[in-house]
Amino acid sequence: MSAPAEGRVQRLVEEAAGHLEAGAWEEAAAAARRGARLAREAGEPEAEAELAYVEGAALAQLGEPGAALPRLEAALALRPDDLDAALERGLALFEVCRFEDARRALMAVLRAEPDDPWAIHTLGLIAERRGDAAEAKRRFTRARRLAPDEFPEPVAMTAQDFDAAVEAAMAELPEGVRRWLANVAIAVEDVPADDDLLASDPPHSPSILGIFRGAPLGAKESMDPWSHFPSSIVLYQRNLQRLAGDRDDLVDEIRVTLLHEVGHFLGLDEEDLARLGLD
């Protein structure tokens, strides 16, 4: 490769990595995409691997795990021992609900790096989903000990108090909205079931806080598989408890999540909800 081309590749590697470190995900992905093409044309596999990793990591941060996976797999094909790419791939597999694939990928990460808190915590989430409370608790405790700022203790709240917070949030809704909701079941579950996650294409993230099942108010039958069932709103208690900073924050998150799902029932899309501060 000529010196000018080598210099351009290196500048793009540095630019993409800098954007990733700064949290400028879109800029990181764009710079990595440009650089990967140039590195591939120039026959620079190490730079191409790094840029594929950066693009994959940035896409994952942008909430596009399905798009991130092929870039992370491309990075690993060029650099099989890249633990950062292996970890990001395992996390992306979890986000697209390929739970067994994610478990295998993250166990491989732990064999190389036994103290990686993100791998440990996510394996706890997978254990929680399959009903293995003992393994989930063990992994959550270890991840919290290794990275207490990343994985604080979830806010404690009994099922009864959680239901009471949901009822209080319902009582704040305008009377007309409450009348429309008269035939909509409001439920609380621990974590989302596979059917809830996979009803969407791409799948919902396993960390979603709530979901609306059914057809929006006034909508005709659709191809949505939930539209043929009675409408319902479900809030996921453990996900909400993990997100909240304290009890007051949890109560507020319950209210916002309920309003978000009521918005879907009323026919609002994600952009509408974001404009209303309910994203």
Side-chain angles (χ1 to χ4, degrees), residues 185-206:
I186 310 294
V188 175
E189 297 176 7
D190 284 340
V191 294
D194 286 357
D195 284 347
D196 284 335
L197 299 176
L198 298 174
S200 170
D201 184 18
H204 292 297
S205 167

Side-chain angles (χ1 to χ4, degrees), residues 6 17 33 38 48 54 59 61 67 75 86 90 101 109 113 118 166 169 183 203 208 210-211 222 252 259 272-273:
E6 183 177 2
R33 200 172 297 120
L38 184 59
E48 186 182 352
V54 169
L59 288 168
Q61 291 292 338
D101 290 340
V109 170
E113 179 48 75
W118 280 95
V166 174
N183 294 320
I208 57 171
I211 198 168
S222 73
D252 190 55
L259 290 173
D272 296 328
L273 293 166

Side-chain angles (χ1 to χ4, degrees), residues 29 50 81 117 122 124 138 166 169 212-213:
E50 178 65 17
D81 295 332
T122 307
R138 174 171 58 82
V166 174
F212 168 65
R213 302 169 177 159

Side-chain angles (χ1 to χ4, degrees), residues 2 8 12 28 41 60 79 81 87-88 102 104 109 111 143 156 164 172 178 185 187 219 224 268 270:
S2 68
R8 288 198 300 275
L12 283 166
E41 292 166 1
R79 198 164 58 186
D81 295 332
L87 174 62
E88 287 290 348
R104 287 196 296 266
V109 170
R111 284 193 290 274
E172 294 180 16
R178 293 202 304 274
D224 182 341
L268 302 180
E270 294 296 336

Side-chain angles (χ1 to χ4, degrees), residues 4 12 14 56-58 70 78 87 110 115 118 129 134 143 163 188 190 197 239:
L12 283 166
E14 293 172 358
L78 292 163
L87 174 62
L110 287 189
D115 289 337
W118 280 95
R129 292 191 58 78
D163 289 343
V188 175
D190 284 340
L197 299 176
N239 285 353

Side-chain angles (χ1 to χ4, degrees), residues 14-64:
E14 293 172 358
E15 178 185 344
H19 285 315
L20 185 68
E21 186 175 353
W25 317 124
E26 291 182 356
E27 292 85 349
R33 200 172 297 120
R34 293 195 308 273
R37 285 195 299 270
L38 184 59
R40 188 161 49 250
E41 292 166 1
E44 281 289 309
E46 184 65 24
E48 186 182 352
E50 178 65 17
L51 289 158
Y53 159 71
V54 169
E55 184 180 357
L59 288 168
Q61 291 292 338
L62 287 166
E64 300 180 38

Side-chain angles (χ1 to χ4, degrees), residues 11 18-19 22 49 58 66 91 95 98 102 119 131 136 145 178 188 203 212-213 217 221 223 237 241 245 268 278:
R11 282 195 298 275
H19 285 315
L91 300 179
E95 286 296 316
R98 291 170 54 184
R145 188 162 55 244
R178 293 202 304 274
V188 175
F212 168 65
R213 302 169 177 159
L217 183 68
E221 254 186 19
M223 295 303 291
Q237 182 168 350
Q241 286 174 290
L268 302 180
L278 298 174

